[in-house]
Amino acid sequence: MTHQMKEMDIVYHCACTAYEGLSVFSPSLITRNTSGITATVLSAAIQNGVKRFIYCSSMARYGKQKAPFYETMVPMPVDPYGIAKVAGEQLVKALCEEHGMEYVIAVPHNIIGSRQKYDDPYRNVASIMANLMLQGRQPIIYGDGNQKRCFSFIQDVVDPLALMATAGISGETINVGPDEEFVTINELGRELASIVGIDFVPMRLPDRPLEVKTAVCSSDKARRLLGYSTKTSFHDGLVSIVEWIRTSGTKKFAY
């Protein structure tokens, strides 16, 4: 990886194994591919004299604190994925400050949009549901389905991420995503069923271990520092997912 960063000024580190639900059962895999790879990427950036490092963290950093989540809150992750993400943040802060590299920590909300992986039972709940519904199958909902989330259309996340390279800010942690509408998993399922044109009769299973009930963030800081705004509505974002899967073809998978 060291030679791949030769003559680079800015590095975006977005890669990880983002299986939050699975992390409770496979903590070694998730830790290795989250905080472990962060150390690897940072090492290469330092060796090549990279000037600015943008790290994508996760809302999992906040755990079960009272929502909405603000960047001033002390991270209190509750599962191995969140713990690994916070460990990555700490590596970024310590090493960037020691080696004189500017950094920004981005905290995206739940990202949705076309081209998102949809044959994966562990992440991307909107895409999973759409893929199943387009096959005439019903999705699984864990618990009562009243878990609250904010869903971000991909371009609404990419734009502020791009600005982090040039906005003249450093050492900041910034939530990125809509905070105008909080959506339950039940509401997500009903909206997708309406778009696809089927009834919504989900299979119900017990709560996922350590799942956070309400995970919604404030984006006040992103508005102030990056001029953030939500340009794509929740409904239109879901329509783009359904159209993409229809065009690309549904994929079978087993939970």
Side-chain angles (χ1 to χ4, degrees):
M1 182 173 289
T2 300
H3 69 278
Q4 293 170 330
M5 291 189 194
K6 211 166 186 179
E7 299 181 1
M8 287 189 181
D9 291 328
I10 301 168
V11 168
Y12 282 82
H13 177 41
C14 308
C16 74
T17 299
Y19 299 142
E20 186 166 10
L22 181 62
S23 74
V24 179
F25 304 100
S26 298
S28 177
L29 169 69
I30 273 62
T31 301
R32 183 172 65 249
N33 290 347
T34 303
S35 57
I37 61 169
T38 301
T40 300
V41 175
L42 275 167
S43 297
I46 292 164
Q47 290 174 44
N48 283 280
V50 169
K51 295 180 176 63
R52 174 170 284 254
F53 196 92
I54 315 296
Y55 175 71
C56 282
S57 188
S58 167
M59 284 205 301
R61 74 192 300 276
Y62 295 110
K64 296 184 178 181
Q65 299 184 75
K66 184 178 179 181
F69 303 144
Y70 290 89
E71 296 90 343
T72 51
M73 291 177 168
V74 176
M76 296 180 65
V78 297
D79 57 46
Y81 173 71
I83 292 166
K85 274 295 186 182
V86 171
E89 290 185 21
Q90 293 171 336
L91 284 167
V92 169
K93 291 177 182 177
L95 293 173
C96 287
E97 289 173 3
E98 176 63 25
H99 293 278
M101 183 161 46
E102 297 177 343
Y103 69 92
V104 181
I105 294 170
V107 186
H109 301 12
N110 295 275
I111 298 174
I112 61 173
S114 57
R115 295 183 173 84
Q116 187 173 49
K117 187 172 175 61
Y118 55 87
D119 61 343
D120 183 334
Y122 300 110
R123 56 181 173 177
N124 305 336
V125 61
S127 295
I128 291 172
M129 285 186 172
N131 179 41
L132 289 169
M133 289 179 182
L134 285 167
Q135 298 174 47
R137 300 166 66 187
Q138 290 291 334
I140 286 175
I141 287 185
Y142 297 92
D144 60 13
N146 290 323
Q147 303 94 319
K148 287 184 179 179
R149 300 292 185 265
C150 295
F151 290 94
S152 312
F153 186 68
I154 180 61
Q155 196 60 47
D156 289 347
V157 177
V158 169
D159 290 343
L161 278 174
L163 280 174
M164 289 177 188
T166 59
I169 55 176
S170 182
E172 300 284 357
T173 299
I174 307 174
N175 296 332
V176 178
D179 55 5
E180 305 92 348
E181 51 180 349
F182 306 150
V183 180
T184 69
I185 300 302
N186 286 325
E187 290 167 341
L188 169 67
R190 283 193 289 268
E191 187 72 15
L192 277 169
S194 175
I195 293 167
V196 172
I198 68 170
D199 292 333
F200 179 57
V201 190
M203 295 177 280
R204 303 275 180 179
L205 289 180
D207 291 332
R208 292 197 310 176
L210 300 181
E211 184 174 26
V212 174
K213 193 76 170 179
T214 301
V216 296
C217 293
S218 165
S219 287
D220 288 345
K221 189 173 182 179
R223 280 187 281 269
R224 175 167 52 85
L225 296 180
L226 302 169
Y228 169 80
S229 65
T230 303
K231 299 181 179 68
T232 304
S233 70
F234 173 62
H235 173 81
D236 289 347
L238 295 184
V239 168
S240 75
I241 290 175
V242 171
E243 290 176 348
W244 168 254
I245 297 175
R246 274 198 176 119
T247 301
S248 303
T250 59
K251 294 182 181 180
K252 302 281 188 182
F253 69 89
Y255 280 94

